[in-house]
Amino acid sequence: MAGSGAAKSLSKVQKHIQKRKGKAPALNENSRDSKRLRRAAGRDDKLKKMASAKSRQSQPYLDRVSFFQGVSQEHPEAFTLEEVHIIIQNFVKRDEEELEQLKAERRPGRPATARQDMLSQLIGTEHQEYASGFWVPDMLDEANVKVLREWSGVWGAMNQLKYVRLSQDGTLKASAFPPHKTV
C-alpha cells in the first residue's frame, strides 16, 4: 500500500502509519512516512481551499435563487412578465438603502469604506446584468415555480430548475445552469 501512489487523505495516511509503527511513531524528518504525511497535508489544504473558493463563487447565485424562492412562497401560481420585472427590480435595489446609509455616515472628504465600494460595485454589476439579461429561475412556468418552492437551498439541487435571462427591455431567452452558460 505504501508504494501504490493512490491519493490519500491525511487521516488515512496517519492511520496507516500508526497501524505499522504504533500509537506515537517517532519519524525521521526525511523518512518516506513523513514525506507521505506532508503530501497528504498539502493535498487536504489544497482541497479545502478549492472548496472554499467554489463556495464563495457560487454563493451569489444561491442567494439570488433563494430570494426568488422566498417570493414564490407567497404567490400561489406562476408569475406574469411584469411581476417578474418588479421582483428583479426589488432584488437589484435590495442593497441601495444600506449603501445610502453608509454614504450618509461617512464624513466629507473621507474615502469610501470597503463595504461601500463592494456594494456600489455589486449594484452596478447587477444593473448592467439586468440591462443585458438578468439570470433568474423561470418564474413564468408553473411547474418550475413549484420545483422552486420545494428547492432545498443547496447548489447541487439547482440544476433541477429551468432558468431564463430577462432583460430590462423585455427580451426573454432560455438559459442554463450554471449561469455562465447560455442556450
Side-chain angles (χ1 to χ4, degrees):
M1 188 175 229
S4 67
K8 305 259 187 222
S9 70
L10 179 60
S11 62
K12 285 184 180 181
V13 172
Q14 286 173 332
K15 188 176 172 184
H16 182 71
I17 292 171
Q18 281 180 353
K19 196 184 286 186
R20 281 191 305 123
K21 294 206 177 219
K23 276 292 184 199
L27 298 176
N28 186 331
E29 184 180 340
N30 294 319
S31 70
R32 289 180 196 158
D33 288 336
S34 64
K35 288 179 183 178
R36 286 177 61 206
L37 283 170
R38 282 195 297 270
R39 274 197 312 269
R43 195 170 32 250
D44 278 3
D45 287 345
K46 184 174 110 178
L47 289 174
K48 284 179 187 172
K49 285 179 186 176
M50 288 173 55
S52 174
K54 176 117 174 102
S55 175
R56 273 194 314 273
Q57 183 182 12
S58 62
Q59 192 60 45
Y61 298 113
L62 284 169
D63 293 343
R64 181 180 297 190
V65 175
S66 182
F67 177 86
F68 282 89
Q69 181 188 33
V71 171
S72 72
Q73 301 293 351
E74 306 160 359
H75 204 272
E77 67 269 345
F79 294 81
T80 64
L81 193 59
E82 294 79 26
E83 290 172 329
V84 176
H85 276 291
I86 291 169
I87 295 168
I88 292 172
Q89 290 165 2
N90 288 340
F91 180 79
V92 170
K93 293 178 183 175
R94 74 194 182 285
D95 291 324
E96 288 181 357
E97 186 177 311
E98 182 183 354
L99 181 62
E100 292 303 318
Q101 181 184 359
L102 288 172
K103 284 181 181 178
E105 289 173 355
R106 193 180 78 226
R107 293 191 324 246
R110 300 293 298 169
T113 62
R115 175 81 178 150
Q116 183 180 345
D117 286 340
M118 193 261 317
L119 284 176
S120 56
Q121 182 181 9
L122 176 68
I123 290 170
T125 303
E126 288 176 348
H127 279 290
Q128 284 180 331
E129 183 183 354
Y130 187 34
S132 64
F134 201 77
W135 183 81
V136 294
D138 189 356
M139 306 288 278
L140 305 172
D141 181 17
E142 181 75 41
N144 198 53
V145 172
K146 184 176 185 287
V147 173
L148 178 62
R149 284 190 195 111
E150 297 166 359
W151 176 59
S152 61
V154 295
W155 179 261
M158 285 177 64
N159 62 355
Q160 298 170 352
L161 297 167
K162 290 191 293 187
Y163 298 93
V164 293
R165 286 202 175 269
L166 181 61
S167 62
Q168 219 165 4
D169 63 8
T171 307
L172 185 71
K173 286 190 250 179
S175 186
F177 175 77
H180 57 280
K181 294 181 181 178
T182 56
V183 175

